[in-house]
């Protein structure tokens, strides 16, 4: 069974859809590997102009890390390896030399919000819920999400979202500036294509040049240090009793 579906449009879009709808598109190691491979392909291939990341099904964009698997990471070191693996992938997505979109087709929770934060644009189906809920799990963002949020939103807004750790509507997140378009979602991909058409009329060289100008600031040692320090801090919280209890409570409920 495929964990992700990768499709190519003749107009230059690569669509990457996490394909685990029965787990609300939770990210396991196989999804990570497929995403890493796709990002590398988009970086190299001059026929590809943009990357759109989405989820399969109507329920969820992505429910974050696969808790049924990652509950078995008991030590700080084991958690750090998993978090750094995905953090490295999201860093390469953030700094990819082509524009990227998170097409949020439903709930985005935990690491799902971090995946979306690494993209340049976030378009959401109306009614989707967005939850940087890590605080309620006794952890913090583990894949660099807070560092990216502080780059992309005003400081107080970003801090408020992280400290509240609540589910917020896509409409509210649009007001905050994190979502760039709320779409009706009757034909989400077509609605997304319409928004991307003006960008796709540019040459790949123009798209690449602008994206590189934007991403340059994230390639500094200082930024990388902050990004991976965040990941280390989360790995230290991973084995806490509060986090173990929160994971067990979720897994026992469902
Ligand atoms: C690891 C990095 C870390 C970070 O940096 O943030 C994280 O991402 S931690 C994970 C954070 N994510 C969560 O806590 C999300 C947990 N999921 C939910 O809150 C809900 O499932 C949902 C996403 C709001 C959807 O709710 P609903 O539509 O009511 O579906 P169910 O709850 O019944 O789920 C269906 C099915 O999917 C399984 N599922 C959902 N999310 C995950 C997950 N993150 N990991 C593993 N499995 C997940 C859920 O257990 C159900 O499975 P079955 O019982 O087998 O049907």
């Amino acid at each position: 069974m495929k964990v992700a579906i990768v499709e190519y449009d003749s107009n230059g879009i690569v669509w990457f859809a996490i394909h685990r709808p029965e787990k609300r598109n939770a990210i396991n190691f196989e999804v990570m590997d497929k995403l890493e491979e796709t990002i590398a392909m988009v970086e190299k291939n001059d026929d590809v102009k943009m990357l759109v990341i989405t989820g399969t099904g109507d329920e969820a964009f992505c429910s974050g890390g696969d808790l049924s698997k990652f509950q078995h990471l008991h030590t700080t070191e084991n958690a750090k390896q998993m978090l750094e693996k995905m953090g490295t992938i999201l860093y390469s997505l953030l700094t990819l030399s082509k524009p990227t979109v998170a097409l949020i087709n439903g709930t985005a929770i935990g690491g799902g919000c971090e995946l979306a934060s690494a993209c340049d644009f976030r378009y959401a189906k109306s009614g989707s819920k967005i939850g940087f809920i890590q605080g309620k799990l006794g952890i913090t963002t583990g894949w660099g999400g807070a560092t990216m949020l502080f780059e992309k939103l005003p400081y107080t807004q970003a801090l408020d979202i992280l400290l509240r750790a609540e589910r917020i509507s896509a409409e509210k997140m649009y007001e905050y500036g994190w979502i760039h378009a709320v779409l009706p979602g009757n034909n989400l991909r077509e609605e997304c294509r319409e928004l991307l058409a003006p960008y796709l009329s540019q040459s790949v060289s123009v798209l690449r040049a602008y994206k590189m100008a934007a991403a340059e600031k994230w390639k500094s040692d200082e930024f990388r240090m902050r990004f991976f320090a965040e990941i280390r801090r989360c790995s230290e919280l991973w084995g806490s009793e509060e986090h173990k209890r929160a994971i067990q409570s979720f897994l026992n409920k469902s």
Side-chain angles (χ1 to χ4, degrees), residues 22-24 26 59-60 63-68 70 82-83 107 109-112 114 133-134 137 139-143 167 234 238 250-251 253-254:
E22 75 292 351
K23 294 287 174 199
R24 300 298 184 262
E59 304 279 352
S63 60
D66 187 332
L67 295 175
S68 63
F70 299 158
M82 177 278 286
L83 296 172
T107 310
I109 299 279
E114 302 183 69
I133 50 70
Q134 288 88 346
L137 297 180
I139 53 170
T140 50
T141 45
W143 293 341
R167 292 184 201 178
C234 178
W238 193 270
F250 168 70
L251 292 173
K253 174 177 77 74
S254 45

Side-chain angles (χ1 to χ4, degrees), residues 48-64:
V48 179
K49 291 184 171 179
M50 297 192 72
L51 170 63
V52 178
I53 298 179
T54 189
T56 300
D58 293 329
E59 304 279 352
F61 166 69
C62 174
S63 60

Side-chain angles (χ1 to χ4, degrees), residues 222-235:
E222 188 268 343
F223 179 82
R224 278 185 64 91
M225 198 192 68
R226 284 195 280 130
F227 189 96
F228 287 98
E230 174 190 338
I231 292 175
R232 277 196 304 281
R233 279 192 292 271
C234 178
S235 60

Side-chain angles (χ1 to χ4, degrees), residues 41-86:
M41 180 275 288
V42 170
E43 184 69 72
K44 279 195 209 120
N45 188 329
D46 282 341
D47 293 329
V48 179
K49 291 184 171 179
M50 297 192 72
L51 170 63
V52 178
I53 298 179
T54 189
T56 300
D58 293 329
E59 304 279 352
F61 166 69
C62 174
S63 60
D66 187 332
L67 295 175
S68 63
K69 299 285 175 228
F70 299 158
Q71 65 167 323
H72 303 299
L73 303 172
H74 292 304
T75 65
T76 297
E77 193 46 42
N78 287 344
K80 186 163 153 279
Q81 280 172 15
M82 177 278 286
L83 296 172
E84 280 185 345
K85 178 177 168 74
M86 188 60 183

